[in-house]
Amino acid sequence: MILEKEKINLLFKKPTNEKKKVIIRGVDIVKTYKTGEQITHALRGATLDVFKGEYLSIMGPSGSGKSTLFNAIGALSKPTSGKVYIDQVDIAQLDTEELAWLRCRKIGYIFQSYNLIQVMTCLENVTLPMSFAGIDGEEAREKGIKILKTVGLGHRILHKPAELSGGQQQRVAIARSLANSPEIILADEPTANLDQNTGQEMITLLRKLQKELNVTIISATHDLKMLQASDRILWIDDGRIIKAAKPEDINFKSGEFH
Amino acid sequence: MNTNDKNEYNQVKLPLRIAMEVVLQGIKIRLGRSIVTITGVICGIAFLMSILTGQMIKNGVKKEDAIREEVTRINNFVKAEVGFLNNKTISLVVAGKLSEIELRTLESFEKEKIKTIQIDKNTQIDKNLKSIKKVSEKEFSGEESTALFLMGAGKIPDRKWKVLLAKHHPKILATTISHAKINNISENQLIELSRIWSQDETYKKLQKEQQDKFKNIWIGIISLLVTVIGIMNAMLMSVTERFREIGTMKCLGALSGFIKHIFLIESSLMGIAGGFSGVIIGAVFSIFAYSFSYGFSLVWTSINFLKLGEYGLACLLIGIILSILAALYPARIASKMVPADALRSNL
């Protein structure tokens, strides 16, 4: 359980408590897409701080720039302008190899549609990022089995993703995101393809992992349950972050602020 | 905590072994899709190979046909000059190496049940014929010899031509008259056996050859193009339909090189498998198809196996190289892709 004092601290963008370390800092992120003649402004200057060990939810209607913001702070694409610092490193300064290093060891990704490698077993899906980090063979195998057990799939390690249910696939994806013990986990609408109960299980699992492993979780979501579970919520609309709140401030029946 | 130190960013360069494992697994699991891709390669290479083999067979058959026709003509001509050859003895002056037509003519004499073909004991014939008998100069062209032949395009050996001519009505049957300009033999003492081409005929023959040559080159180019496009299409599809997987791997920390390796290994494996099967299928198909129209034995004798091997090797190489080249471009695009874009593509 998080103490009341800490919750209040988490609410604000600027850390009032010096112990809270900023792990991702986005400054004035702008992203525009050009499709032919048409220019789309996906992000119009988003600024945010993510603190180490927190569970942050990003909420917004579709087309608000949520996914774009996600890709930008997850080093999956470079912003048109503005800066993204991950662990105090400006990712614009990194070349492709260094970015690959960062994605491999610092960040774990969870996607709405799981994005498992269909041709590999669960275990191989989990050990693949390990082999990218240079861990191979028996060591990777043992670690992979251990992580799969943690997410409750110890009995399914040699199954192919196609043989599993959506919830189980998402568990594999969570296990994979944890493969190289990252500091940050980015989850892009992880419950959107799952039913109510399975979604709830996923949230509980993520919450548990966040507490046990002290990882930072950033998730984009529509799911009110996911909002409820988070430490802090950012609202994004029309490419800008418009509000920050804690779960207590939200009327979950209407989905509105107090 | 701050890892701004560049050295720490050195991503692990994966050994090819892991890429190989990923590829083999991919081919195994996506067997249906892999077979479609490989079939694309097989079709292209089989087509090219069958065209090449077919042309080789056609040329061989044409050549064989011409030889057979010429041999029959000479045989008939000889029969008209000296009567039936069964149980008869002829004398043969061998001037150097005998041509295919000359050897086959001798063979046809044997089929007519000729008794003996006398040759000088110092001369040599490349073919093993039962009726050939090596004799001394004294015995050569004795009483029982019905005809005197001169064959070979080489140097004509010294002979007592006057004596020989006197015995043989007095004529010499020669296959190559231009080489028979021997001292003391006038042209009317020689009977030309080989066909003399008129100027018109030679011109027409040359024209036909030229036309055939252009036609062959044209068919070769077209079939190569068909092969290139078939293989390119198969490889492009196999890469583009996996953009999402590439994006995922990049998110997990795969380097561009690893992605490129995966596709290049896969395409070269497919090139080897497809090329190899294509060569065999193409050659076998072509041989069978031509056997239907020409008969198997004629087709089989007209196959130049060394050339067939060369064609096969060339087609295999073309298959592998084209597969790699065709995958190179999409693999480059895939490896350079920003992960966010690769993930977004929904093919």
Side-chain angles (χ1 to χ4, degrees), chain B residues 317-343:
Chain B
L317 280 180
I318 287 173
I320 296 169
I321 289 169
L322 281 182
S323 300
I324 294 173
L325 281 182
L328 204 60
Y329 173 69
R332 237 181 92 85
I333 293 181
S335 68
K336 289 254 155 73
M337 246 183 165
V338 179
D341 296 338
L343 282 174

PDB file of all heavy atoms in Angstrom, chain B residues 317-343:
ATOM      1  N   LEU B 317      22.910 -20.927 -59.508  1.00  0.00           N
ATOM      2  CA  LEU B 317      23.541 -19.681 -59.079  1.00  0.00           C
ATOM      3  C   LEU B 317      22.603 -18.502 -59.301  1.00  0.00           C
ATOM      4  O   LEU B 317      22.454 -17.642 -58.435  1.00  0.00           O
ATOM      5  CB  LEU B 317      24.851 -19.456 -59.839  1.00  0.00           C
ATOM      6  CG  LEU B 317      26.046 -20.237 -59.310  1.00  0.00           C
ATOM      7  CD1 LEU B 317      27.278 -19.924 -60.130  1.00  0.00           C
ATOM      8  CD2 LEU B 317      26.306 -19.878 -57.850  1.00  0.00           C
ATOM      9  N   ILE B 318      21.962 -18.483 -60.478  1.00  0.00           N
ATOM     10  CA  ILE B 318      21.020 -17.400 -60.773  1.00  0.00           C
ATOM     11  C   ILE B 318      19.909 -17.391 -59.725  1.00  0.00           C
ATOM     12  O   ILE B 318      19.547 -16.337 -59.199  1.00  0.00           O
ATOM     13  CB  ILE B 318      20.427 -17.556 -62.195  1.00  0.00           C
ATOM     14  CG1 ILE B 318      21.488 -17.204 -63.236  1.00  0.00           C
ATOM     15  CG2 ILE B 318      19.208 -16.657 -62.381  1.00  0.00           C
ATOM     16  CD1 ILE B 318      21.077 -17.476 -64.664  1.00  0.00           C
ATOM     17  N   GLY B 319      19.411 -18.579 -59.384  1.00  0.00           N
ATOM     18  CA  GLY B 319      18.347 -18.675 -58.378  1.00  0.00           C
ATOM     19  C   GLY B 319      18.783 -18.105 -57.038  1.00  0.00           C
ATOM     20  O   GLY B 319      18.069 -17.322 -56.418  1.00  0.00           O
ATOM     21  N   ILE B 320      19.979 -18.486 -56.593  1.00  0.00           N
ATOM     22  CA  ILE B 320      20.455 -18.033 -55.283  1.00  0.00           C
ATOM     23  C   ILE B 320      20.707 -16.529 -55.306  1.00  0.00           C
ATOM     24  O   ILE B 320      20.236 -15.786 -54.437  1.00  0.00           O
ATOM     25  CB  ILE B 320      21.738 -18.789 -54.888  1.00  0.00           C
ATOM     26  CG1 ILE B 320      21.449 -20.277 -54.726  1.00  0.00           C
ATOM     27  CG2 ILE B 320      22.304 -18.230 -53.588  1.00  0.00           C
ATOM     28  CD1 ILE B 320      22.679 -21.143 -54.595  1.00  0.00           C
ATOM     29  N   ILE B 321      21.424 -16.086 -56.343  1.00  0.00           N
ATOM     30  CA  ILE B 321      21.784 -14.661 -56.409  1.00  0.00           C
ATOM     31  C   ILE B 321      20.531 -13.796 -56.512  1.00  0.00           C
ATOM     32  O   ILE B 321      20.386 -12.792 -55.804  1.00  0.00           O
ATOM     33  CB  ILE B 321      22.738 -14.404 -57.593  1.00  0.00           C
ATOM     34  CG1 ILE B 321      24.107 -15.021 -57.276  1.00  0.00           C
ATOM     35  CG2 ILE B 321      22.894 -12.906 -57.846  1.00  0.00           C
ATOM     36  CD1 ILE B 321      25.052 -15.074 -58.443  1.00  0.00           C
ATOM     37  N   LEU B 322      19.594 -14.228 -57.372  1.00  0.00           N
ATOM     38  CA  LEU B 322      18.366 -13.442 -57.526  1.00  0.00           C
ATOM     39  C   LEU B 322      17.579 -13.397 -56.227  1.00  0.00           C
ATOM     40  O   LEU B 322      17.042 -12.355 -55.852  1.00  0.00           O
ATOM     41  CB  LEU B 322      17.492 -14.033 -58.636  1.00  0.00           C
ATOM     42  CG  LEU B 322      17.888 -13.695 -60.062  1.00  0.00           C
ATOM     43  CD1 LEU B 322      16.896 -14.319 -61.020  1.00  0.00           C
ATOM     44  CD2 LEU B 322      17.941 -12.202 -60.263  1.00  0.00           C
ATOM     45  N   SER B 323      17.521 -14.534 -55.524  1.00  0.00           N
ATOM     46  CA  SER B 323      16.772 -14.566 -54.264  1.00  0.00           C
ATOM     47  C   SER B 323      17.387 -13.591 -53.274  1.00  0.00           C
ATOM     48  O   SER B 323      16.683 -12.834 -52.603  1.00  0.00           O
ATOM     49  CB  SER B 323      16.795 -15.969 -53.667  1.00  0.00           C
ATOM     50  OG  SER B 323      16.214 -16.866 -54.563  1.00  0.00           O
ATOM     51  N   ILE B 324      18.720 -13.601 -53.188  1.00  0.00           N
ATOM     52  CA  ILE B 324      19.377 -12.705 -52.237  1.00  0.00           C
ATOM     53  C   ILE B 324      19.177 -11.249 -52.658  1.00  0.00           C
ATOM     54  O   ILE B 324      18.813 -10.398 -51.841  1.00  0.00           O
ATOM     55  CB  ILE B 324      20.874 -13.041 -52.115  1.00  0.00           C
ATOM     56  CG1 ILE B 324      21.041 -14.425 -51.483  1.00  0.00           C
ATOM     57  CG2 ILE B 324      21.593 -12.002 -51.282  1.00  0.00           C
ATOM     58  CD1 ILE B 324      22.448 -14.937 -51.453  1.00  0.00           C
ATOM     59  N   LEU B 325      19.380 -10.995 -53.955  1.00  0.00           N
ATOM     60  CA  LEU B 325      19.209  -9.618 -54.443  1.00  0.00           C
ATOM     61  C   LEU B 325      17.785  -9.131 -54.209  1.00  0.00           C
ATOM     62  O   LEU B 325      17.572  -7.995 -53.806  1.00  0.00           O
ATOM     63  CB  LEU B 325      19.535  -9.540 -55.939  1.00  0.00           C
ATOM     64  CG  LEU B 325      21.013  -9.489 -56.302  1.00  0.00           C
ATOM     65  CD1 LEU B 325      21.169  -9.357 -57.810  1.00  0.00           C
ATOM     66  CD2 LEU B 325      21.700  -8.323 -55.604  1.00  0.00           C
ATOM     67  N   ALA B 326      16.826 -10.029 -54.474  1.00  0.00           N
ATOM     68  CA  ALA B 326      15.429  -9.634 -54.327  1.00  0.00           C
ATOM     69  C   ALA B 326      15.093  -9.344 -52.872  1.00  0.00           C
ATOM     70  O   ALA B 326      14.275  -8.489 -52.578  1.00  0.00           O
ATOM     71  CB  ALA B 326      14.511 -10.719 -54.876  1.00  0.00           C
ATOM     72  N   ALA B 327      15.747 -10.058 -51.946  1.00  0.00           N
ATOM     73  CA  ALA B 327      15.458  -9.841 -50.522  1.00  0.00           C
ATOM     74  C   ALA B 327      16.258  -8.671 -49.973  1.00  0.00           C
ATOM     75  O   ALA B 327      15.889  -8.074 -48.969  1.00  0.00           O
ATOM     76  CB  ALA B 327      15.764 -11.104 -49.732  1.00  0.00           C
ATOM     77  N   LEU B 328      17.353  -8.346 -50.647  1.00  0.00           N
ATOM     78  CA  LEU B 328      18.253  -7.308 -50.140  1.00  0.00           C
ATOM     79  C   LEU B 328      17.531  -5.977 -49.958  1.00  0.00           C
ATOM     80  O   LEU B 328      17.628  -5.336 -48.913  1.00  0.00           O
ATOM     81  CB  LEU B 328      19.420  -7.140 -51.121  1.00  0.00           C
ATOM     82  CG  LEU B 328      20.705  -6.572 -50.544  1.00  0.00           C
ATOM     83  CD1 LEU B 328      21.222  -7.480 -49.450  1.00  0.00           C
ATOM     84  CD2 LEU B 328      21.745  -6.421 -51.635  1.00  0.00           C
ATOM     85  N   TYR B 329      16.786  -5.589 -50.964  1.00  0.00           N
ATOM     86  CA  TYR B 329      16.124  -4.278 -50.927  1.00  0.00           C
ATOM     87  C   TYR B 329      15.073  -4.195 -49.814  1.00  0.00           C
ATOM     88  O   TYR B 329      15.174  -3.314 -48.948  1.00  0.00           O
ATOM     89  CB  TYR B 329      15.532  -3.983 -52.309  1.00  0.00           C
ATOM     90  CG  TYR B 329      14.697  -2.750 -52.363  1.00  0.00           C
ATOM     91  CD1 TYR B 329      15.276  -1.500 -52.228  1.00  0.00           C
ATOM     92  CD2 TYR B 329      13.321  -2.831 -52.522  1.00  0.00           C
ATOM     93  CE1 TYR B 329      14.504  -0.362 -52.252  1.00  0.00           C
ATOM     94  CE2 TYR B 329      12.544  -1.702 -52.556  1.00  0.00           C
ATOM     95  CZ  TYR B 329      13.139  -0.459 -52.426  1.00  0.00           C
ATOM     96  OH  TYR B 329      12.353   0.645 -52.443  1.00  0.00           O
ATOM     97  N   PRO B 330      14.100  -5.124 -49.790  1.00  0.00           N
ATOM     98  CA  PRO B 330      13.142  -5.044 -48.680  1.00  0.00           C
ATOM     99  C   PRO B 330      13.786  -5.259 -47.316  1.00  0.00           C
ATOM    100  O   PRO B 330      13.357  -4.648 -46.335  1.00  0.00           O
ATOM    101  CB  PRO B 330      12.125  -6.151 -48.989  1.00  0.00           C
ATOM    102  CG  PRO B 330      12.721  -6.988 -50.021  1.00  0.00           C
ATOM    103  CD  PRO B 330      13.721  -6.164 -50.750  1.00  0.00           C
ATOM    104  N   ALA B 331      14.830  -6.097 -47.252  1.00  0.00           N
ATOM    105  CA  ALA B 331      15.490  -6.325 -45.967  1.00  0.00           C
ATOM    106  C   ALA B 331      16.165  -5.045 -45.490  1.00  0.00           C
ATOM    107  O   ALA B 331      16.165  -4.727 -44.294  1.00  0.00           O
ATOM    108  CB  ALA B 331      16.522  -7.436 -46.093  1.00  0.00           C
ATOM    109  N   ARG B 332      16.718  -4.295 -46.421  1.00  0.00           N
ATOM    110  CA  ARG B 332      17.348  -3.021 -46.082  1.00  0.00           C
ATOM    111  C   ARG B 332      16.313  -2.054 -45.529  1.00  0.00           C
ATOM    112  O   ARG B 332      16.524  -1.407 -44.494  1.00  0.00           O
ATOM    113  CB  ARG B 332      17.981  -2.427 -47.332  1.00  0.00           C
ATOM    114  CG  ARG B 332      19.452  -2.141 -47.207  1.00  0.00           C
ATOM    115  CD  ARG B 332      19.930  -1.528 -48.497  1.00  0.00           C
ATOM    116  NE  ARG B 332      19.865  -0.081 -48.426  1.00  0.00           N
ATOM    117  CZ  ARG B 332      20.826   0.671 -47.911  1.00  0.00           C
ATOM    118  NH1 ARG B 332      21.910   0.127 -47.430  1.00  0.00           N
ATOM    119  NH2 ARG B 332      20.712   1.985 -47.858  1.00  0.00           N
ATOM    120  N   ILE B 333      15.185  -1.976 -46.235  1.00  0.00           N
ATOM    121  CA  ILE B 333      14.109  -1.089 -45.779  1.00  0.00           C
ATOM    122  C   ILE B 333      13.651  -1.509 -44.390  1.00  0.00           C
ATOM    123  O   ILE B 333      13.510  -0.690 -43.484  1.00  0.00           O
ATOM    124  CB  ILE B 333      12.915  -1.142 -46.754  1.00  0.00           C
ATOM    125  CG1 ILE B 333      13.326  -0.522 -48.089  1.00  0.00           C
ATOM    126  CG2 ILE B 333      11.718  -0.409 -46.179  1.00  0.00           C
ATOM    127  CD1 ILE B 333      12.214  -0.504 -49.103  1.00  0.00           C
ATOM    128  N   ALA B 334      13.457  -2.829 -44.244  1.00  0.00           N
ATOM    129  CA  ALA B 334      12.963  -3.341 -42.968  1.00  0.00           C
ATOM    130  C   ALA B 334      13.931  -3.025 -41.839  1.00  0.00           C
ATOM    131  O   ALA B 334      13.533  -2.608 -40.758  1.00  0.00           O
ATOM    132  CB  ALA B 334      12.746  -4.846 -43.069  1.00  0.00           C
ATOM    133  N   SER B 335      15.221  -3.208 -42.097  1.00  0.00           N
ATOM    134  CA  SER B 335      16.195  -3.017 -41.021  1.00  0.00           C
ATOM    135  C   SER B 335      16.354  -1.537 -40.678  1.00  0.00           C
ATOM    136  O   SER B 335      16.683  -1.182 -39.559  1.00  0.00           O
ATOM    137  CB  SER B 335      17.537  -3.626 -41.417  1.00  0.00           C
ATOM    138  OG  SER B 335      18.104  -2.891 -42.465  1.00  0.00           O
ATOM    139  N   LYS B 336      16.080  -0.658 -41.643  1.00  0.00           N
ATOM    140  CA  LYS B 336      16.222   0.782 -41.401  1.00  0.00           C
ATOM    141  C   LYS B 336      14.954   1.378 -40.786  1.00  0.00           C
ATOM    142  O   LYS B 336      14.927   2.528 -40.383  1.00  0.00           O
ATOM    143  CB  LYS B 336      16.521   1.496 -42.720  1.00  0.00           C
ATOM    144  CG  LYS B 336      17.910   1.224 -43.246  1.00  0.00           C
ATOM    145  CD  LYS B 336      18.809   2.434 -43.050  1.00  0.00           C
ATOM    146  CE  LYS B 336      20.262   2.038 -42.986  1.00  0.00           C
ATOM    147  NZ  LYS B 336      20.786   1.664 -44.273  1.00  0.00           N
ATOM    148  N   MET B 337      13.890   0.589 -40.779  1.00  0.00           N
ATOM    149  CA  MET B 337      12.599   1.112 -40.335  1.00  0.00           C
ATOM    150  C   MET B 337      12.621   1.544 -38.879  1.00  0.00           C
ATOM    151  O   MET B 337      13.196   0.874 -38.025  1.00  0.00           O
ATOM    152  CB  MET B 337      11.546   0.018 -40.493  1.00  0.00           C
ATOM    153  CG  MET B 337      10.526   0.343 -41.510  1.00  0.00           C
ATOM    154  SD  MET B 337       9.327  -0.956 -41.526  1.00  0.00           S
ATOM    155  CE  MET B 337       8.068  -0.132 -42.434  1.00  0.00           C
ATOM    156  N   VAL B 338      11.951   2.669 -38.604  1.00  0.00           N
ATOM    157  CA  VAL B 338      11.746   3.086 -37.221  1.00  0.00           C
ATOM    158  C   VAL B 338      10.741   2.100 -36.626  1.00  0.00           C
ATOM    159  O   VAL B 338       9.728   1.806 -37.252  1.00  0.00           O
ATOM    160  CB  VAL B 338      11.194   4.520 -37.181  1.00  0.00           C
ATOM    161  CG1 VAL B 338      10.959   4.973 -35.760  1.00  0.00           C
ATOM    162  CG2 VAL B 338      12.139   5.462 -37.899  1.00  0.00           C
ATOM    163  N   PRO B 339      11.011   1.578 -35.412  1.00  0.00           N
ATOM    164  CA  PRO B 339      10.125   0.541 -34.864  1.00  0.00           C
ATOM    165  C   PRO B 339       8.661   0.945 -34.853  1.00  0.00           C
ATOM    166  O   PRO B 339       7.785   0.127 -35.149  1.00  0.00           O
ATOM    167  CB  PRO B 339      10.644   0.348 -33.445  1.00  0.00           C
ATOM    168  CG  PRO B 339      11.957   0.992 -33.374  1.00  0.00           C
ATOM    169  CD  PRO B 339      12.179   1.819 -34.584  1.00  0.00           C
ATOM    170  N   ALA B 340       8.396   2.209 -34.528  1.00  0.00           N
ATOM    171  CA  ALA B 340       7.002   2.650 -34.447  1.00  0.00           C
ATOM    172  C   ALA B 340       6.299   2.467 -35.787  1.00  0.00           C
ATOM    173  O   ALA B 340       5.153   2.027 -35.837  1.00  0.00           O
ATOM    174  CB  ALA B 340       6.943   4.110 -34.022  1.00  0.00           C
ATOM    175  N   ASP B 341       7.017   2.777 -36.884  1.00  0.00           N
ATOM    176  CA  ASP B 341       6.413   2.644 -38.217  1.00  0.00           C
ATOM    177  C   ASP B 341       6.214   1.169 -38.575  1.00  0.00           C
ATOM    178  O   ASP B 341       5.207   0.792 -39.164  1.00  0.00           O
ATOM    179  CB  ASP B 341       7.299   3.304 -39.279  1.00  0.00           C
ATOM    180  CG  ASP B 341       7.409   4.786 -39.054  1.00  0.00           C
ATOM    181  OD1 ASP B 341       6.501   5.320 -38.373  1.00  0.00           O
ATOM    182  OD2 ASP B 341       8.369   5.407 -39.525  1.00  0.00           O
ATOM    183  N   ALA B 342       7.214   0.365 -38.231  1.00  0.00           N
ATOM    184  CA  ALA B 342       7.131  -1.063 -38.548  1.00  0.00           C
ATOM    185  C   ALA B 342       5.956  -1.703 -37.820  1.00  0.00           C
ATOM    186  O   ALA B 342       5.259  -2.546 -38.355  1.00  0.00           O
ATOM    187  CB  ALA B 342       8.426  -1.760 -38.171  1.00  0.00           C
ATOM    188  N   LEU B 343       5.734  -1.259 -36.588  1.00  0.00           N
ATOM    189  CA  LEU B 343       4.634  -1.831 -35.795  1.00  0.00           C
ATOM    190  C   LEU B 343       3.283  -1.398 -36.332  1.00  0.00           C
ATOM    191  O   LEU B 343       2.314  -2.127 -36.251  1.00  0.00           O
ATOM    192  CB  LEU B 343       4.747  -1.385 -34.338  1.00  0.00           C
ATOM    193  CG  LEU B 343       5.782  -2.117 -33.515  1.00  0.00           C
ATOM    194  CD1 LEU B 343       5.894  -1.472 -32.157  1.00  0.00           C
ATOM    195  CD2 LEU B 343       5.401  -3.577 -33.366  1.00  0.00           C
TER     196      LEU B 343
END
